[in-house]
């Protein structure tokens, strides 16, 4: 699972906590913290959470938080089907005001 965080104009928003859980994972990743991911996904505010090198059907949840740890997005539920052709979910969080 990967994605990025952006403002209304598509500019990167760095340093936002992205909470990812499900499939045995419960992690919070900061947007823009890994320059390798920023390069791979083409955004300075990219993030990624690796689950397993063998795709399997799992339900993953993701939510954006503010710097105080408060949720600022809805919880997004993604059902991964478990095959290589659909092994990456990409979520873009866009500021809405």
């Amino acid at each position: 699972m990967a994605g990025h965080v952006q403002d209304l104009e598509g500019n990167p928003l760095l340093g936002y906590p992205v909470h990812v859980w499900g499939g045995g994972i419960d992690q919070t990743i900061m947007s823009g913290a890994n320059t390798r991911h920023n390069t791979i996904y083409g955004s300075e505010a990219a993030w990624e959470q690796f689950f397993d090198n063998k795709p399997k059907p799992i339900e993953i949840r993701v939510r954006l938080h503010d710097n105080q740890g408060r949720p600022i997005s809805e919880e997004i539920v993604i059902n991964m089907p478990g095959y290589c052709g659909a092994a990456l979910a990409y979520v873009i969080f866009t500021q809405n005001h």
Side-chain angles (χ1 to χ4, degrees):
M1 164 157 290
H4 69 270
V5 182
Q6 64 185 17
D7 68 11
L8 290 168
E9 287 80 40
N11 299 308
L13 294 174
L14 287 76
Y16 278 82
V18 179
H19 183 200
V20 180
W21 69 101
I25 299 287
D26 187 350
Q27 295 291 321
T28 300
I29 308 110
M30 300 301 277
S31 64
N34 186 318
T35 57
R36 181 176 156 273
H37 296 155
N38 295 341
T39 301
I40 291 169
Y41 299 112
S43 172
E44 292 177 25
W47 57 271
E48 179 184 272
Q49 177 59 56
F50 177 78
F51 282 84
D52 196 338
N53 61 358
K54 296 177 185 164
K56 59 188 171 207
I58 57 173
E59 181 177 272
I60 302 169
R61 297 174 185 270
V62 61
R63 179 178 252 171
L64 187 67
H65 291 256
D66 66 14
N67 290 330
Q68 286 76 43
R70 296 179 298 236
I72 57 173
S73 78
E74 297 294 323
E75 181 180 299
I76 299 168
V77 179
I78 299 170
N79 287 296
M80 302 298 289
Y83 57 89
C84 290
L88 175 66
Y90 195 85
V91 176
I92 301 171
F93 289 107
T94 303
Q95 178 185 37
N96 65 4
H97 62 328

